[in-house]
Amino acid sequence: MENTFSWLVLPNSSIILMYEKVLSLVIFAFLLFKFRSLMLDEQVYLGLMFFVVIKLIFESMLDYGTIFQQLTLFTILFPVAFIVFIKAISRTLDLDVLEIVAQFYIVLYVVFMAVYGRDFSFSLEAVTMDDYGPFSGDSRIIHARSIFMLIIPLLWYFNQFLVKGKKTSLLLFVFCIIAIVIHQHRSVWASSLFGMGIYLFMALRNGIISIPKVTRISLVAIIVLGLTTFVISNISPGLIDFFGERFSEILDPAREDGTGKFRADQRRVYFPMVLEKPVFGLTFEGFEMKNPLVDWWPAKSGQHFHEGYMEMLFYHGFFGLLLKYFYLLYLAVYAFSKKLSEKAIILIAFSLAGLIFSFSYVLPLVFWGNVGLCLYYLSKCREDKYSENRAKRPINIDIQQHQKYLTD
């Protein structure tokens, strides 16, 4: 489901997209077949999705005479099933794969850049391609949705360095920072900073790291950053101004000359339409309507939303929005817990970074699989806590009761 990996195997976005849709149907059918073996919360969550799917099928049959008019509307909702699927599979196989996932994204990035990064530069000139696939529309090469996934190794190796003091982990952490910075996706910059902040908050709250240690590392980081800025400003003065200008747009995303202006226009135009059908959205009618902003996309190909929230609100209403993002809100509450493992903390921080990223782009499907993995690690934390509490129970209670019984 990782787009850059799929592209290395089969560089054709039409085939990859069809593969994702077909596999989505297969996974959904598998979950329905295994419905009784799922946990109660998973059954309720999947049942709500099944309700929406049945509603869409009846709406399609009544209004269009086909079983399913636009399969894309199902694909938009499929992350709901994908979360449950990955969580259930992880529980069944008792997986422990977070380190492998972090290594996978490091290796994948290096291989992809080695194969396709020959045209990479710091400029934003458009790159002419027949099939964009996982590529950005300019010389940044890789799309923000794929660079966003580097937050997993970023957090993993940062944690490894703080907890175990490994120099290799520090080097890989710095490598992730450089990769995220040089591709210039401000949505990923903001998401990374937010994820790092959430990670530090949870790590401090759970006693994984101490405040003095964080203070020392922060001071060293500030000094290193200052020296790096000084060196680069002397070697290439325009580069600092270039990155400073791009970073400033994070604080003013809707400014007239910024790329965030189009997202602001979409919110302004589409949100009043959402309020016309706020509960379940405009579904097929909204998907096939003429685009009110631009005319270069094919007819009946959807509205091509950049923002994840607006996409769900427009097509599936507030019900669909809450359904898709429910587990992220659930993890936001759990971030205040004091009984979390390191792996749960890393994946919660990554998952919550998706809340920031959703303001700029629709989250990639593979992101939701990692949310399912996060929920699995979270359930292991609860099991460990339960076992710990059982172990702390006094053993002599039963003995005393037994002695009293014998005395009586």
Side-chain angles (χ1 to χ4, degrees):
M1 293 297 188
E2 169 53 52
N3 206 12
T4 48
F5 178 79
S6 301
W7 190 264
L8 289 172
V9 177
L10 185 63
N12 187 309
S13 59
S14 298
I15 296 177
I16 291 173
L17 185 59
M18 183 56 64
Y19 153 78
E20 287 189 355
K21 290 183 178 181
V22 171
L23 191 59
S24 299
L25 293 173
V26 172
I27 290 175
F28 184 61
F30 173 81
L31 288 174
L32 294 179
F33 178 73
K34 292 287 186 178
F35 189 79
R36 291 186 178 182
S37 65
L38 300 176
M39 299 177 69
L40 179 60
D41 65 304
E42 297 167 353
Q43 291 177 339
V44 173
Y45 194 55
L46 195 64
L48 291 173
M49 178 185 174
F50 185 70
F51 163 75
V52 176
V53 171
I54 293 298
K55 172 187 170 297
L56 289 174
I57 290 175
F58 274 100
E59 184 179 341
S60 178
M61 292 176 65
L62 290 174
D63 295 342
Y64 299 93
T66 61
I67 295 179
F68 217 96
Q69 175 68 8
Q70 291 289 351
L71 190 58
T72 303
L73 288 180
F74 172 84
T75 307
I76 293 169
L77 198 62
F78 176 68
V80 173
F82 200 43
I83 292 172
V84 176
F85 173 71
I86 295 298
K87 183 188 175 189
I89 290 295
S90 300
R91 181 174 63 247
T92 302
L93 301 178
D94 193 23
L95 297 179
D96 188 8
V97 295
L98 181 55
E99 183 175 7
I100 297 174
V101 171
Q103 294 170 347
F104 167 78
Y105 277 109
I106 292 284
V107 173
L108 178 63
Y109 173 79
V110 171
V111 172
F112 193 89
M113 286 298 289
V115 176
Y116 294 106
R118 55 188 176 272
D119 296 324
F120 176 80
S121 72
F122 286 116
S123 69
L124 295 176
E125 296 176 1
V127 175
T128 302
M129 292 180 176
D130 295 328
D131 190 342
Y132 279 100
F135 300 100
S136 178
D138 47 50
S139 60
R140 290 176 290 182
I141 297 297
I142 306 177
H143 196 279
R145 291 184 296 179
S146 293
I147 296 297
F148 172 78
M149 301 305 296
L150 285 176
I151 295 177
I152 293 179
L154 177 80
L155 294 172
W156 169 263
Y157 290 112
F158 184 56
N159 176 79
Q160 291 293 97
F161 170 67
L162 288 181
V163 175
K164 299 180 179 180
K166 293 182 177 180
K167 294 181 180 179
T168 305
S169 297
L170 176 60
L171 292 175
L172 290 171
F173 168 66
V174 172
F175 175 83
C176 291
I177 291 178
I178 293 172
I180 287 171
V181 170
I182 63 175
H183 285 278
Q184 307 166 52
H185 295 294
R186 286 148 298 179
S187 55
V188 184
W189 292 356
S191 301
S192 300
L193 291 172
F194 183 77
M196 290 285 289
I198 294 296
Y199 164 80
L200 288 172
F201 169 77
M202 290 187 290
L204 288 168
R205 187 172 176 80
N206 284 268
I208 294 174
I209 53 177
S210 62
I211 293 179
K213 187 173 185 178
V214 173
T215 303
R216 289 196 302 270
I217 292 175
S218 299
L219 289 175
V220 172
I222 291 171
I223 293 171
V224 172
L225 181 62
L227 291 174
T228 304
T229 304
F230 175 76
V231 172
I232 295 176
S233 63
N234 282 277
I235 297 174
S236 178
L239 193 60
I240 297 297
D241 295 336
F242 174 78
F243 277 102
E245 175 66 20
R246 292 194 57 76
F247 189 83
S248 67
E249 195 173 328
I250 295 177
L251 304 176
D252 187 15
R255 71 186 191 189
E256 194 65 32
D257 61 337
T259 57
K261 181 64 167 57
F262 182 70
R263 296 172 180 84
D265 290 339
Q266 284 192 322
R267 296 186 199 107
R268 174 179 53 81
V269 171
Y270 286 104
F271 191 70
M273 301 181 193
V274 171
L275 297 179
E276 296 176 7
K277 294 185 177 181
V279 180
F280 294 113
L282 282 79
T283 60
F284 302 108
E285 175 189 352
F287 189 89
E288 297 189 351
M289 66 177 278
K290 184 179 179 181
N291 194 298
L293 285 174
V294 298
D295 58 1
W296 57 71
W297 281 309
K300 297 185 178 181
S301 64
Q303 301 303 312
H304 300 270
F305 287 103
H306 282 60
E307 181 185 336
Y309 299 122
M310 187 53 62
E311 180 188 62
M312 287 305 298
L313 281 172
F314 187 75
Y315 291 133
H316 293 291
F318 284 94
F319 183 85
L321 179 72
L322 290 175
L323 184 62
K324 186 173 183 178
Y325 285 89
F326 168 77
Y327 273 126
L328 294 188
L329 299 176
Y330 172 80
L331 292 176
V333 174
Y334 235 96
F336 293 90
S337 173
K338 290 186 178 181
K339 294 291 183 178
L340 297 173
S341 67
E342 293 176 22
K343 293 173 182 177
I345 287 173
I346 291 169
L347 282 174
I348 288 175
F350 167 72
S351 299
L352 296 185
L355 292 173
I356 301 299
F357 190 78
S358 290
F359 283 107
S360 299
Y361 292 102
V362 176
L363 285 160
L365 183 57
V366 71
F367 165 85
W368 301 99
N370 285 285
V371 173
L373 187 64
C374 177
L375 293 168
Y376 160 69
Y377 278 116
L378 197 59
S379 66
K380 290 192 69 174
C381 291
R382 290 195 294 264
E383 290 174 4
D384 293 342
K385 181 180 178 182
Y386 175 76
S387 300
E388 182 182 343
N389 291 337
R390 292 269 298 184
K392 289 180 179 178
R393 289 176 58 183
I395 300 175
N396 63 340
I397 291 179
D398 293 336
I399 296 175
Q400 292 174 355
Q401 291 176 346
H402 184 63
Q403 289 176 341
K404 184 176 183 301
Y405 170 76
L406 292 176
T407 303
D408 294 341

